[in-house]
């Protein structure tokens, strides 16, 4: 696991965007996208690079990590809508090739299995962006999620509903159920890039990177993956015991990865 510590959120965004851009320029075509506040600086940097020229997503397809049950893609807080507004509408990716779980399917349990099968069919995901919840969740895999889980319907914890209430008019509006890629599904991606900024993420980052491998901190599953980059700002790195070591570690060279 490579841990990159940058001073500010915006620098974290540029670092993570460089990783995605290098992958795309090296032939990566399948991107895993995340929502929430954490990846916004990454999307802004990618949009900038696209507008400056030389970075095209025309050959790319993308898979979202998760979706709220009951919110159609037209709902402003559905993740299908958010990813369009924040990223995909601003680059040249084919919108038909931006996939997300169907949270309004007649049978959401079948929809979850079909989404998993689609990723397996046309994947693997080359680069997967991830944020992390304050309780260590990735995607919507709340504490207690099986470390080998596949895409499925999950129930949100009250903490996550409260954390996400800022996007809605109140906590009562936050759906209780979601469809999320499982931890096993996420770990099928070839390169995982987790971005976390701010002191409110420091504890979860330390638990994920340096804590025990445990379903109580779903993000600790990253410790099992062969290629993970964790990009954090100083505030989110504050509880890392080995921060100095990470600062001096040799950096991974993107050109070594072939897609
Ligand atoms: C949500 C999303 C996650 C995201 C997490 C953290 O629950 N499902 O994918 O990583 O929130 O969000 P934020 O980046 O806004 O702190």
């Amino acid at each position: 696991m490579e841990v990159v510590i940058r001073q500010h959120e915006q620098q974290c965004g540029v670092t993570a965007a460089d990783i995605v851009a290098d992958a795309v320029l090296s032939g990566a075509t399948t991107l895993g996208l995340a929502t929430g506040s954490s990846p916004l600086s990454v999307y802004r940097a990618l949009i900038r690079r696209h507008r400056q020229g030389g970075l095209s997503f025309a050959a790319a397809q993308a898979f979202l990590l998760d979706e709220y049950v009951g919110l159609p893609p037209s709902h402003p807080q559905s993740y299908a809508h958010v990813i369009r507004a924040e990223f995909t509408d601003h680059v040249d990716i084919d919108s038909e090739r931006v996939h997300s779980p169907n949270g309004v399917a007649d049978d959401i349990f079948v929809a979850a299995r079909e989404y998993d099968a689609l990723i397996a069919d046309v994947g693997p995901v080359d680069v997967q962006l991830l944020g992390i919840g304050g309780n260590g969740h990735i995607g919507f895999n709340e504490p207690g999620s099986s470390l080998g889980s596949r895409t499925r319907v999950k129930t949100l914890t009250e903490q996550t509903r409260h954390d996400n209430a800022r996007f809605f008019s109140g906590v009562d509006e936050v759906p209780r159920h979601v469809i999320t890629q499982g931890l096993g599904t996420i770990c099928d991606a070839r390169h995982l890039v987790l971005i976390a900024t701010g002191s409110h993420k420091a504890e979860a980052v330390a638990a994920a990177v340096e804590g025990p491998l445990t379903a109580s901190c779903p993000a600790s599953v990253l410790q099992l993956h062969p290629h993970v980059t964790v990009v954090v700002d100083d505030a989110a790195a504050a509880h890392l015991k080995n921060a100095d070591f990470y600062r001096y570690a040799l950096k991974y060279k993107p050109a070594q990865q072939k897609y």
Side-chain angles (χ1 to χ4, degrees):
M1 190 186 291
E2 179 183 36
V3 180
V4 181
I5 304 174
R6 308 294 314 267
Q7 233 178 327
H8 303 299
E9 178 182 2
Q10 208 205 337
Q11 295 165 334
C12 292
V14 169
T15 296
D18 285 348
I19 293 171
V20 175
D22 285 341
V24 170
L25 294 169
S26 310
T29 53
T30 306
L31 304 179
L33 303 178
T35 45
S37 314
S38 306
L40 293 180
S41 59
V42 188
Y43 297 141
R44 281 196 293 271
L46 286 171
I47 293 165
R48 244 184 347 259
R49 287 192 59 165
H50 169 69
R51 288 187 178 150
Q52 285 161 357
L55 181 63
S56 169
F57 297 90
Q61 61 180 344
F63 289 92
L64 262 190
L65 279 175
D66 44 18
E67 184 58 281
Y68 289 110
V69 166
L71 299 193
S74 55
H75 189 288
Q77 291 313 328
S78 76
Y79 284 164
H81 188 280
V82 169
I83 200 65
R84 290 201 306 272
E86 301 292 356
F87 180 49
T88 57
D89 277 358
H90 307 283
V91 296
D92 58 346
I93 193 168
D94 178 354
S95 58
E96 296 292 313
R97 301 182 78 214
V98 179
H99 308 284
S100 53
N102 182 356
V104 289
D106 288 340
D107 190 329
I108 50 176
F109 299 93
V110 170
R113 282 200 297 276
E114 286 176 351
Y115 191 65
D116 205 82
L118 179 66
I119 298 171
D121 261 13
V122 301
V125 168
D126 291 313
V127 188
Q128 174 68 59
L129 281 173
L130 296 169
I132 184 169
N135 61 5
H137 74 246
I138 53 176
F140 268 133
N141 293 280
E142 297 282 33
S145 292
S146 155
L147 299 181
S149 50
R150 309 303 306 181
T151 306
R152 68 217 182 288
V153 176
K154 285 291 283 180
T155 307
L156 295 183
T157 61
E158 284 313 296
Q159 180 184 341
T160 298
R161 292 183 70 234
H162 276 92
D163 286 350
N164 290 0
R166 67 191 193 278
F167 298 112
F168 294 82
S169 48
V171 69
D172 292 343
E173 301 300 310
V174 183
R176 284 191 182 278
H177 299 107
V178 294
I179 298 177
T180 181
Q181 285 189 35
L183 296 170
T185 316
I186 292 169
C187 286
D188 285 345
R190 299 169 74 181
H191 186 180
L192 304 177
V193 181
L194 184 142
I195 179 164
T197 57
S199 55
H200 60 303
K201 296 295 173 73
E203 211 174 303
V205 166
V209 174
E210 295 177 340
L213 175 67
T214 167
S216 299
C217 176
S220 67
V221 76
L222 303 194
Q223 295 173 22
L224 291 175
H225 193 280
H227 191 186
V228 180
T229 307
V230 175
V231 184
V232 285
D233 66 358
D234 282 335
H239 291 192
L240 288 171
K241 290 196 186 73
N242 297 321
D244 284 345
F245 165 78
Y246 304 134
R247 287 182 209 276
Y248 292 110
L250 291 174
K251 295 293 171 254
Y252 164 78
K253 303 217 176 13
Q256 291 167 348
Q257 175 93 41
K258 292 275 174 284
Y259 292 97

